[in-house]
Amino acid sequence: MKRYLVGGAVRDERLGLPIRERDWVVVGATPEEMGAAGYLPVGKDFPVFLHPQTKEEHALARTERKTAPGYRGFSFHTGPEVTLEDDLIRRDLTINAIARDDDGRLVDPYGGQRDLDARLLRHVSEAFCEDPVRILRVARFHARFASLGFRVAEQTLTLMRQMVDSGEVDHLVPERVWQETRKGLMTDSPGTYFRTLHECGALARIMPELAALHGVPQRADYHPEVDTLVHVLMCVDTSAALQLPLEVRYAVLVHDLGKGATPQQEWPSHRMHDMRGVPLVETFSARLRVPSACRDLALVHTKEHLIIHQALQLKPSTLLGLLERMGGFAKGERFEQVLQASVCDARGRLGFEESPYEQADYLRAARVAANEIQAAQVMADGISGAAIGEALKERRTRRLKDWKAQQQAVRQPDSM
């Protein structure tokens, strides 16, 4: 019985990156021998054990055989006769098929070190095309390692396109698509995840609402990048540069889906794309089973992002309504997250990457001013029942009117 450190731990160690987790393959052992050595069985589909001290996962070396479409359609075989090379050849990418024994010796039968040096994401064998999840994983690794200069090998892209054309990608289940997409969104270059899926054709199959933005023009005076998909992915990359949370990154990803539904005769204008986008965000989120926190923020931002950009021109009553819908008077982070998403939308444009976004501080200050008026003050004046809400709205509107007048006075140049 011999064990080998495999996968991401070996890869990241060779790249000089922090090791997130350590997985092991055990060769020459049976489940009974693992149990006798004190390992705890945890695997459901094939024998996986936890080390009695470190609790790190140790899987018996295995071979796989494709038995049905999709990523679940495999049968597995383990046994003392299965070699390390047999196990490694079934892995997705060569950079993930390097092993290291307890003495520090590397086992690299498929050129993983060479591809690490070449910054290449390359499939190990033709078995790659049997598992559609590998399309998502390649896109995610591309996004994760884009800053290091990695690219997808052309032969691997060809296999990915063949998997799309053959319908293999259509067997992906929503939970797995979201699991990989969530990880892709949280990389330093999330736009690369979606660009890679688009390049191989998978984006149109699993996220058609997003793929529909490709080639849809926008007004060049507002959007010098013109193409709507280019803009959206620039926005997503901006959210990563600002190190924003998953909820904001998702809201940014889907905020312009409505532009894909604009009639072509109206191009490059996209009036009402905010309202057109709402049902598309709902459908997109439901199909991928996106967490409610991501979906709800995305819906608010999709509905409100146009009026947020116009915040400085809003009259007091309209401004108050916007603050309410953004969650400005409720507990939680919703208000600030909507503003963060709006900043990404404004900066995700060619030539505007570092531009200031005055609307954010303006709305924050308006929120503070409106919050000076509380329901307790209204009730202290003897107002009760349903009249409290109306009185509160009226007083907050008057406060915002005074506040706006003060803001305008500050902005006016000295006439003397």
Side-chain angles (χ1 to χ4, degrees):
M1 183 171 74
K2 188 169 183 178
R3 71 174 191 166
Y4 296 85
L5 185 67
V6 295
V10 181
R11 177 200 66 224
D12 291 349
E13 184 178 65
R14 305 300 293 178
L15 289 172
L17 300 174
I19 297 176
R20 298 178 177 180
E21 59 183 4
R22 297 159 63 89
D23 294 320
W24 303 80
V25 162
V26 179
V27 176
T30 65
E32 293 74 19
E33 289 170 331
M34 295 292 287
Y39 287 81
L40 305 175
V42 294
K44 295 180 180 179
D45 298 324
F46 49 84
V48 178
F49 301 81
L50 297 183
H51 190 280
Q53 280 80 46
T54 66
K55 305 305 179 186
E56 292 173 343
E57 287 193 358
H58 288 61
L60 294 184
R62 69 183 188 270
T63 60
E64 301 174 355
R65 185 170 63 88
K66 184 75 168 175
T67 58
Y71 80 100
R72 297 180 186 272
F74 293 91
S75 62
F76 302 93
H77 170 70
T78 62
E81 76 282 0
V82 178
T83 68
L84 178 63
E85 289 76 12
D86 291 336
D87 184 277
L88 294 178
I89 200 171
R90 300 293 305 186
R91 294 175 182 262
D92 50 8
L93 298 172
T94 59
I95 64 170
N96 297 330
I98 310 171
R100 193 192 73 193
D101 66 17
D102 284 333
D103 295 324
R105 289 188 292 266
L106 292 179
V107 181
D108 181 23
Y110 306 111
Q113 293 184 91
R114 176 196 62 209
D115 289 340
L116 281 176
D117 292 339
R119 298 299 193 250
L120 196 63
L121 301 174
R122 181 171 62 87
H123 63 284
V124 177
S125 71
E126 293 298 312
F128 177 95
C129 64
E130 296 178 353
D131 184 355
V133 172
R134 290 176 170 175
I135 293 175
L136 303 175
R137 283 174 56 84
V138 170
R140 175 165 62 84
F141 282 124
H142 196 191
R144 182 182 173 193
F145 297 132
S147 63
L148 299 179
F150 275 80
R151 60 187 175 86
V152 182
E154 192 56 47
Q155 303 96 315
T156 302
L157 269 175
T158 297
L159 271 187
M160 293 163 67
R161 294 185 185 111
Q162 291 173 358
M163 294 166 71
V164 173
D165 293 341
S166 70
E168 184 69 29
V169 73
D170 299 329
H171 295 283
L172 285 168
V173 298
E175 293 85 355
R176 200 61 194 270
V177 174
W178 173 247
Q179 179 184 356
E180 295 296 330
T181 299
R182 174 181 58 80
K183 292 177 181 178
L185 279 169
M186 295 309 296
T187 64
D188 291 337
S189 182
T192 300
Y193 174 81
F194 301 98
R195 293 184 194 100
T196 305
L197 293 179
H198 177 65
E199 189 174 0
C200 73
L203 192 68
R205 303 290 271 272
I206 60 179
M207 302 177 191
E209 300 90 348
L210 193 60
L213 302 181
H214 172 65
V216 174
Q218 305 164 105
R219 285 180 53 179
D221 50 342
Y222 289 128
H223 290 278
E225 72 285 352
V226 180
D227 186 283
T228 303
L229 183 60
V230 172
H231 162 60
V232 166
L233 299 187
M234 288 179 68
C235 293
V236 176
D237 283 337
T238 300
S239 73
L242 295 175
Q243 298 184 325
L244 298 176
L246 174 65
E247 293 85 356
V248 177
R249 298 188 192 204
Y250 178 74
V252 169
L253 175 70
V254 299
H255 81 281
D256 265 353
L257 292 186
K259 290 182 179 178
T262 302
Q264 290 191 21
Q265 62 268 25
E266 296 181 15
W267 289 356
S269 176
H270 293 278
R271 294 180 181 178
M272 299 298 293
H273 77 267
D274 47 350
M275 293 300 102
R276 287 191 179 112
V278 170
L280 293 173
V281 172
E282 290 174 336
T283 300
F284 187 98
S285 301
R287 188 178 63 255
L288 295 189
R289 300 179 187 175
V290 171
S292 58
C294 292
R295 177 202 64 211
D296 293 348
L297 180 66
L299 287 171
V300 172
H301 184 242
T302 298
K303 291 176 184 176
E304 308 297 345
H305 71 278
L306 291 183
I307 193 171
I308 289 172
H309 294 329
Q310 301 164 7
L312 276 64
Q313 288 77 47
L314 301 180
K315 63 182 183 181
S317 59
T318 306
L319 180 59
L320 178 62
L322 175 60
L323 293 173
E324 291 173 343
R325 297 192 301 276
M326 291 175 63
F329 305 110
K331 295 180 180 179
E333 300 174 322
R334 174 71 54 79
F335 177 82
E336 191 60 35
Q337 288 181 338
V338 175
L339 287 182
Q340 291 169 346
S342 298
V343 170
C344 295
D345 184 24
R347 293 182 180 171
R349 297 178 294 160
L350 192 62
F352 290 86
E353 293 86 351
E354 303 295 331
S355 62
Y357 190 68
E358 189 178 1
Q359 294 90 329
D361 284 340
Y362 183 84
L363 286 167
R364 291 186 185 106
R367 178 195 191 193
V368 170
N371 261 316
E372 293 173 4
I373 311 299
Q374 294 293 317
Q377 300 167 251
V378 176
M379 291 185 287
D381 291 336
I383 300 173
S384 61
I388 295 175
E390 288 301 317
L392 183 62
K393 182 174 293 187
E394 180 183 344
R395 294 186 186 188
R396 281 177 168 170
T397 299
R398 287 204 305 267
R399 176 66 189 97
L400 285 174
K401 182 178 180 180
D402 294 340
W403 174 82
K404 280 181 65 68
Q406 294 169 357
Q407 296 297 305
Q408 290 169 354
V410 170
R411 289 168 182 272
Q412 290 292 332
D414 192 342
S415 58
M416 296 296 293

